[in-house]
Amino acid sequence: MGSLAGSDGSANHPYLRRLIDGNEPMRDLCDAVHFICLLHGRHPGVIDHALQHARFTIESGWIEAAADAFAGERTYLVRLVAGAGPLPSTPGHAESEAAAAAQRHALEMLAQSDRAGCATGAAVALAIDWTTIRQVLDTAAHRFGVTLVPSELPLAEETVSVVDALARECAIERAMLFGAQQVYAQHRGLWDLLEARAGARNRG
């Protein structure tokens, strides 16, 4: 799972790195905050759905703690959206919104999969990738004048230990990896979409 996060996670996307560096126009950060909220600002979200599909005690314990913590992340997102103001005018917005809705639907389907381990893999990938996504949000908070809120999601070490235990004891590693891969793919799609929207604004 760690190597998958390193190869497929959001941290490798060049547009995300530019957003974190804080050198992109304010409208691009505003756009990013709005679209991250489209994917992960609703309740129930990926981790909440995954909790309903957990089959093992070690699995449900981690997911329950992560779900409680992610409620705080949603509150932070809402405050950032308010601080960002309206979405920047962007050519092709209707198509972009439809693409984001499809991504959100794909994430929800993964998190509600009945295949043992798939939903947990999706939740784990979100928690791991959120560490990087959080850097974008914190950069936006600084630029928007919104007070930063510390994340209370489980530490990476705790997450890794849970993944290791599940892989050893429950034989669901393949399904977990599939769920994680799909979450990373949707997140990469999000950064691609945001980069394309920024390009469309620049051309406009």
Side-chain angles (χ1 to χ4, degrees):
M1 187 68 78
S3 61
L4 181 64
S7 62
D8 292 11
S10 291
N12 289 324
H13 202 288
Y15 184 66
L16 176 142
R17 301 311 314 177
R18 296 204 301 272
L19 288 173
I20 291 173
D21 288 343
N23 297 322
E24 298 302 292
M26 187 81 84
R27 64 179 182 272
D28 293 350
L29 275 172
C30 169
D31 207 41
V33 166
H34 276 278
F35 273 79
I36 293 168
C37 194
L38 276 175
L39 259 62
H40 295 298
R42 292 186 179 184
H43 181 270
V46 169
I47 300 175
D48 308 291
H49 285 307
L51 183 57
Q52 305 305 314
H53 292 76
R55 301 185 184 183
F56 307 101
T57 302
I58 188 171
E59 188 181 18
S60 58
W62 179 90
I63 299 175
E64 187 171 0
D68 288 344
F70 207 82
E73 298 302 299
R74 276 193 295 270
T75 300
Y76 187 41
L77 260 177
V78 169
R79 290 175 55 209
L80 286 171
V81 167
L87 269 168
S89 177
T90 305
H93 175 69
E95 292 83 354
S96 297
E97 199 166 40
Q103 290 172 337
R104 184 178 65 238
H105 178 71
L107 289 168
E108 289 174 349
M109 291 301 97
L110 279 170
Q112 296 179 76
S113 171
D114 289 327
R115 181 183 177 189
C118 182
T120 295
V124 166
L126 174 56
I128 292 172
D129 223 30
W130 196 257
T131 302
T132 304
I133 294 172
R134 222 350 171 103
Q135 294 179 56
V136 175
L137 299 182
D138 289 349
T139 297
H142 178 73
R143 297 278 295 275
F144 300 162
V146 174
T147 302
L148 272 68
V149 176
S151 174
E152 295 184 358
L153 282 168
L155 297 174
E157 293 81 2
E158 297 173 29
T159 301
V160 169
S161 66
V162 168
V163 170
D164 286 346
L166 284 168
R168 285 197 310 272
E169 299 174 18
C170 307
I172 58 174
E173 183 177 19
R174 183 174 295 181
M176 289 177 65
L177 288 174
F178 174 80
Q181 285 173 329
Q182 298 307 307
V183 166
Y184 293 137
Q186 295 304 324
H187 283 174
R188 290 196 308 275
L190 171 65
W191 306 119
D192 288 344
L193 176 64
L194 290 170
E195 186 172 26
R197 282 173 59 81
R201 286 190 295 273
N202 291 336
R203 290 191 299 272

